[in-house]
Amino acid sequence: MDMPIATPHTATPLTDQFGRTITYLRLSVTDRCDLRCRYCMAEDMVFLPKTDVLTLEEMLELSDAFIARGVNRIRLTGGEPLVRKNIMWLIEALGERVKSGNLQEITLTTNGTQLPKMAGDLYRAGVRRINVSLDTLDAKRFQDISRRDKLETVLAGIDAAKQAGLRVKINTVAMRHFNEAEIPELVHWATTKDFDITLIETMPLGDIEGAREDSYLPLTAVKSNLEQRFDLTTSGHRTGGPARYFAINGSHSKLGLITPLTNNFCDGCNRVRVTCTGRIYMCLGQDDHIDLRAALRSEDKHANLNECLDKSMGLKPRGHDFAMSNGQMVGKVNRHMSQTGG
Ligand code: SAM
Ligand code: SF4
C-alpha cells in the first residue's frame, strides 16, 4: 500500500460549545478481539461484518483530517488493535506524521497478546508509549476474567515492550470479589518494573452476563486501602485525560485513578472517539454520534468531513451520566467499550 502524505494544519481547531478544544483522537481500528473480558464483551459477541469497517487507508485519511484540525495525539484502540490485519501499515504511516512534526504522539491501548512479536516493530514505527490492560497476575484468575488462557503471553509481551524501549502503563479495571484483594500486589509489581499503573472503575457500557453492580468497586475505598501499604502523594502530572495521579514514593511509578462513577472528570475533556465503522462519538457515555464514513466516501470528502467535524462539536455533551444511585449503576449506554474504543 502506498503511504499518503499528511496535509499540513490548515483549518480552525475543533472547539466545542463549552470551549473545550479537541486535540486527542481515540481511533478504534477493529471491534474484534482475541480475549473476551467479562466486563467488556459477551462470550458470543457478534462482530461487525468486515465490509462495514473502514479500510486502513480510510482510517489514515480520517486521521489526517483530524490532524489538519489540530488533533496532536492519536491513540489506536479497539477491540484489540493489534489483531487488525496489516495494522502496522497504519501505525507506520502515523509514525511518519510524528516524525514530520504533524503529530505529537501515536500510541495504543492493547491487551498485550501480540506484543511478543510486535513490540519491536511498534518502536521502530515511532511508538514510544503504550497502555497494556492487565487485571491480575494470577493465571487462573486471568483465564476467568478474559475467558482465555493467555496470561503468560501477555506478561511476555509486556517484557518485550519494555525491552524494545516502549514506556508501558498498566490499566487495571478494579473489581469487587475479583481482583480487589490483589490490587496492592499489582501496584507493587508495577513499581518493581518501573511502570505506571492506572486503576479504572467499571463503567455501565453494554450488556454483559450478570449485574455490573455486583463487581463495582469504588476507587475511594481502594485508595484508602493502598495508603496502608504505599506512601502516595498527589502528583501534578496530567495527560489531559480523566486520570488523577499520585506519586508512589520510593519508586519511579505513578498511580492513576479513573473514577467515572465516584468523581466525574469531564470538565477538561479534550477527546473524541471514532469507531472502526467511522462513527464519531463525542463522549464515551452518551449516544450522540455522526457518521463520518459517508462523508469519507463522498466526492467532496474534505469539505464534507470538515462539515461533519464542525457539526460534531455542537453535539459534544458536557459529560457522561454514569453514577451510582441507590446501589444501581445509572447512565448506562448500550454500546460495549470494544465498540466505541476504550
Ligand atoms: N483490547 C484493548 C485492551 O484491552 O487494552 C483495547 C480496548 S479495551 C476496550 C480498552 C480498555 O477498556 C481496557 O483497559 C479495558 O479494561 C477497559 N474496559 C473495557 N470495558 C470496560 C468497562 N465496562 N468499564 C471500564 N473499563 C472497561
Ligand atoms: Fe478485548 Fe480489550 Fe475488551 Fe478485553 S477489554 S475483551 S482485551 S477489547
Side-chain angles (χ1 to χ4, degrees):
M1 280 189 264
D2 287 339
M3 210 173 271
I5 304 301
T7 44
H9 295 203
T10 50
T12 44
L14 295 169
T15 303
D16 77 357
Q17 51 184 329
F18 303 103
R20 297 172 298 190
T21 299
I22 304 306
T23 54
Y24 183 23
L25 168 65
R26 291 173 93 108
L27 176 60
S28 173
V29 296
T30 178
D31 64 328
R32 290 164 195 256
C33 187
D34 53 345
L35 303 183
R36 292 287 183 282
C37 303
R38 288 178 189 278
Y39 50 80
C40 178
M41 287 191 184
E43 169 67 279
D44 55 351
M45 281 294 279
V46 179
F47 293 112
L48 294 162
K50 285 193 175 148
T51 46
D52 282 2
V53 174
L54 297 184
T55 65
L56 293 174
E57 289 89 342
E58 286 173 329
M59 288 186 179
L60 184 57
E61 279 187 275
L62 207 51
S63 302
D64 282 338
F66 277 99
I67 293 171
R69 299 293 301 268
V71 161
N72 54 34
R73 286 169 63 211
I74 297 181
R75 176 177 295 276
L76 303 185
T77 178
E80 172 47 42
L82 296 181
V83 302
R84 170 91 196 237
K85 202 169 164 213
N86 285 335
I87 190 62
M88 281 313 303
W89 179 85
L90 179 64
I91 297 175
E92 281 164 14
L94 292 171
E96 288 302 319
R97 272 71 177 152
V98 175
K99 285 173 198 158
S100 64
N102 279 321
L103 191 61
Q104 271 173 28
E105 184 178 47
I106 166 70
T107 179
L108 53 131
T109 299
T110 172
N111 64 25
T113 59
Q114 309 303 311
L115 288 174
K117 50 178 197 263
M118 296 178 80
D121 290 342
L122 291 174
Y123 188 88
R124 279 186 288 279
V127 178
R128 291 294 175 266
R129 278 189 326 139
I130 56 171
N131 288 355
V132 184
S133 303
L134 180 68
D135 301 322
T136 177
L137 292 167
D138 179 272
K140 196 175 158 304
R141 219 172 274 151
F142 185 95
Q143 177 154 17
D144 181 19
I145 197 72
S146 69
R147 302 188 181 100
R148 300 291 184 270
D149 181 15
K150 292 211 174 160
L151 177 66
E152 231 175 86
T153 312
V154 171
L155 292 178
I158 290 172
D159 283 341
K162 190 174 176 185
Q163 198 78 37
L166 296 167
R167 270 194 61 204
V168 175
K169 179 165 81 67
I170 303 295
N171 278 350
T172 303
V173 178
M175 286 164 279
R176 191 179 292 287
H177 308 309
F178 173 69
N179 59 0
E180 182 175 5
E182 196 193 340
I183 288 175
E185 207 37 52
L186 261 166
V187 172
H188 171 70
W189 171 82
T191 63
T192 63
K193 299 264 183 188
D194 284 347
F195 299 152
D196 293 341
I197 178 165
T198 293
L199 306 178
I200 307 170
E201 285 175 348
T202 174
M203 289 175 259
L205 299 166
D207 285 330
I208 54 165
E209 284 163 24
R212 284 194 189 271
E213 286 82 0
D214 294 347
S215 59
Y216 169 62
L217 182 59
L219 290 183
T220 35
V222 175
K223 180 167 173 268
S224 307
N225 186 31
L226 286 173
E227 279 167 337
Q228 311 288 317
R229 174 157 173 190
F230 302 96
D231 178 16
L232 303 177
T233 47
T234 306
S235 148
H237 180 74
R238 295 295 302 178
T239 59
R244 286 174 298 129
Y245 285 94
F246 300 86
I248 307 174
N249 296 316
S251 81
H252 299 292
S253 301
K254 284 187 285 299
L255 170 70
L257 301 180
I258 299 188
T259 53
L261 283 100
T262 51
N263 187 356
N264 187 311
F265 44 62
C266 303
D267 281 356
C269 184
N270 64 353
R271 63 198 55 199
V272 290
R273 294 175 153 85
V274 174
T275 69
C276 60
T277 59
R279 280 181 173 188
I280 179 171
Y281 281 89
M282 281 60 72
C283 176
L284 181 62
Q286 304 287 0
D287 283 325
D288 286 329
H289 61 270
I290 290 182
D291 176 23
L292 301 178
R293 189 176 57 183
L296 195 56
R297 292 181 179 171
S298 66
E299 277 222 336
D300 194 1
K301 58 181 149 193
H302 289 293
N304 290 337
L305 263 180
N306 276 313
E307 198 183 316
C308 286
L309 294 184
D310 287 332
K311 200 164 147 207
S312 71
M313 289 301 99
L315 291 178
K316 188 165 166 67
R318 188 181 285 280
H320 66 72
D321 294 320
F322 304 142
M324 284 303 278
S325 172
N326 297 325
Q328 297 296 307
M329 264 188 200
V330 296
K332 180 183 166 195
V333 294
N334 289 328
R335 307 179 316 273
H336 287 93
M337 182 78 126
S338 58
Q339 236 175 310
T340 327

